[in-house]
Amino acid sequence: MTEMVFGATPVRAGDPILPRWWRTVDRWSMACVLLLFAIGLLLGLAASVPLAERNNLPQFYYVTRQLIFGGAALGVMLVISMLSPVQVRRLGVVLFLGALATVIALPVIGTDFGKGATRWLSLGFASVQPSEFLKPGFVALCAWFMAASQAVGGPPGRLYSFFVALVVIVLLAFQPDFGQASLVLFSWLVMYFVAGAPVSLIAGSIGLAGAGGVLAYNSSEHFARRINGFLSAEVDPRTQIGYATNAIQEGGFFGVGVGEGSVKWSLPDAHTDFIIAVAAEEYGFALVMIIIALYGVIVTRSLWRLLRERDPFARIAGTGLACAFGVQALINMGVAVRLLPAKGMTLPFVSYGGSSVIASGIAMGMLLALTRTRPQTLIADVLGRAAR
């Protein structure tokens, strides 16, 4: 009966997994990820050398570590992209539970590295930011709940996802990490919309988030200082935003030249949060537009492929992952050009970082797995048969 309705999909006898994966995966998105990582290494050669010298480390210490972390992230991405939606869901749930337990334990076992927020778990040889791994797991778990609620007699999954989102947002806000909390809220709202939530509930959630922002402004000096700095008519040239803004202006269209930029010597986070300022100064607006285009291709192609997906979990989770990926990049670049308040958020696959790049590899692997061409995924086939 299934074949009569949806049509049979040809299966090659003894078809190896790698050729089957290569035929079904979104190779354009995968190529864009590889280009972003290559650009990140190129920018790291310029941005991380001053930091290494200040810390009395070998010149290319951070570039070498980024190559190791990035290689691991790309390997994880490729392996996860071969999974089925069911396996992605199981991986996401396990990842979420492990990351959530670690985030809860951070006030006891975590450290702030002098930055005023207990977000990291120090392992001695490296540090881990559990909230980075919490995001893809959160998307998978909430998508599972929302998809289950669409089944006849299914559980109130959307309500369950709301409580999960509330717990995660509160935990992140208490670190404090309002940027990651905002990204989690955005992901949940997007998935909730795709799952068929009433607009009134989404509007109410946005209003609740606004009230939370007002509360955070009145209760957190750190949060209020960043908002006040963003709203100020003048930019202090001695701040990171001031240095980044000046670097972007100096870069012009084609930049000042490879290795000729000066912002990397002034910005302590030039290799992470403000990597786009290094790109704009040395390579100009042209490279920035290429970076933006690469992120745009990944997000739009993923959403386009998900439009043809009938599996509720794959459609909801894939949309959440794609939108979170794009918005994180948007936030990072928006902060550098002062369109958004200052927030320590990395540029996926471009900024230096262990936790961030590996977590991005996990999220992108899950997205590639969910957007693979699989049997019985084309709605047009079903509509065409019904019309005939």
Side-chain angles (χ1 to χ4, degrees), residues 4-89:
M4 291 174 61
V5 176
F6 298 112
T9 301
V11 178
R12 302 178 187 179
D15 192 12
I17 185 172
L18 286 178
R20 185 169 66 249
W21 167 79
W22 182 249
R23 289 196 308 272
T24 57
V25 75
D26 184 2
R27 295 190 290 271
W28 281 97
S29 292
M30 194 162 54
C32 289
V33 170
L34 295 177
L35 285 173
L36 285 171
F37 179 62
I39 290 173
L41 288 178
L42 176 66
L43 296 176
L45 288 171
S48 62
V49 171
L51 179 65
E53 292 186 3
R54 285 197 296 268
N55 293 336
N56 297 318
L57 295 169
Q59 255 192 340
F60 300 110
Y61 173 81
Y62 292 104
V63 178
T64 303
R65 286 174 64 88
Q66 180 69 355
L67 186 59
I68 295 172
F69 291 139
L74 295 177
V76 168
M77 179 188 76
L78 293 178
V79 171
I80 294 177
S81 68
M82 299 179 188
L83 302 180
S84 68
V86 173
Q87 292 170 324
V88 169
R89 186 192 70 201

Side-chain angles (χ1 to χ4, degrees), residues 33 69-70 72-81 133 136 325 348-349 354-368:
V33 170
F69 291 139
L74 295 177
V76 168
M77 179 188 76
L78 293 178
V79 171
I80 294 177
S81 68
F133 300 94
F325 180 79
F349 293 108
S355 298
S356 62
V357 72
I358 293 176
S360 295
I362 293 173
M364 184 52 57
M366 294 168 69
L367 180 58
L368 289 172

Side-chain angles (χ1 to χ4, degrees), residues 279-337:
E281 184 181 32
E282 296 201 1
Y283 298 91
F285 182 68
L287 180 61
V288 174
M289 287 305 299
I290 292 174
I291 293 173
I292 293 174
L294 291 173
Y295 285 113
V297 169
I298 293 172
V299 174
T300 53
R301 281 191 62 86
S302 298
L303 294 178
W304 176 253
R305 292 169 75 96
L306 289 167
L307 282 175
R308 301 174 293 175
E309 180 60 62
R310 290 204 311 274
D311 180 1
F313 169 76
R315 186 172 62 251
I316 296 170
T319 303
L321 289 168
C323 291
F325 180 79
V327 168
Q328 179 170 338
L330 181 65
I331 291 174
N332 177 278
M333 292 184 281
V335 167
V337 297

